Amino acid sequence: MNAIVLNADVLESTFYDQVTGMPRPGFSVKLTVIDADTFEKYECQFSGGFPELEELKQLKQVNAAQEQYDEIVNRLRANLPATMSNINFDVVKIKGKGSFLTLVCRLPQGVAA
């Protein structure tokens, strides 16, 4: 999809480990975009493709301190696409019901945000 960014943010969520019961953070990038071809508005979620998201996944594996997560999340927010910038990405799947749809997306291989 060739899109124009309206809004970009990092979503943070907490999941609980089924074995230990300990909270484990989860992160994704949410973009609100307009399709540059059809002018339809979409909510898009990325769980990869941004270097900082990969760093966050590595921190999760070693059970890092919250301060380390915060530093990378702040850097990720600073590096998100700017409002009204163009971005190209692939739609992997659509999730949701009715008018509450989210496009699950990924950046094309070899393209960094």
Side-chain angles (χ1 to χ4, degrees):
M1 176 184 289
N2 180 24
I4 300 167
V5 176
L6 296 178
N7 187 31
D9 199 9
V10 178
L11 297 179
E12 299 180 49
S13 54
T14 301
F15 302 96
Y16 291 90
D17 188 297
Q18 292 181 351
V19 175
T20 65
M22 297 298 296
R24 295 181 52 103
F27 301 93
S28 61
V29 170
K30 178 183 171 189
L31 300 180
T32 304
V33 302
I34 294 177
D35 184 326
D37 299 323
T38 65
F39 301 108
E40 291 287 327
K41 183 178 172 183
Y42 296 102
E43 298 291 329
C44 303
Q45 182 176 347
F46 295 80
S47 58
F50 293 86
E52 293 86 358
L53 281 176
E54 302 309 317
E55 289 181 58
L56 289 166
K57 287 178 187 176
Q58 291 173 357
L59 286 180
K60 187 175 172 181
Q61 291 177 349
V62 298
N63 294 321
Q66 184 62 43
E67 294 80 25
Q68 291 175 293
Y69 289 114
D70 294 342
E71 177 185 327
I72 295 173
V73 167
N74 290 334
R75 189 164 21 108
L76 176 56
R77 281 193 174 110
N79 291 330
L80 289 176
T83 300
M84 301 309 290
S85 63
N86 286 343
I87 185 171
N88 289 304
F89 54 84
D90 299 322
V91 177
V92 178
K93 68 179 180 177
I94 300 171
K95 67 180 187 177
K97 291 184 180 180
S99 61
F100 299 101
L101 299 177
T102 298
L103 305 180
V104 178
C105 306
R106 68 171 180 217
L107 295 173
Q109 290 287 19
V111 175

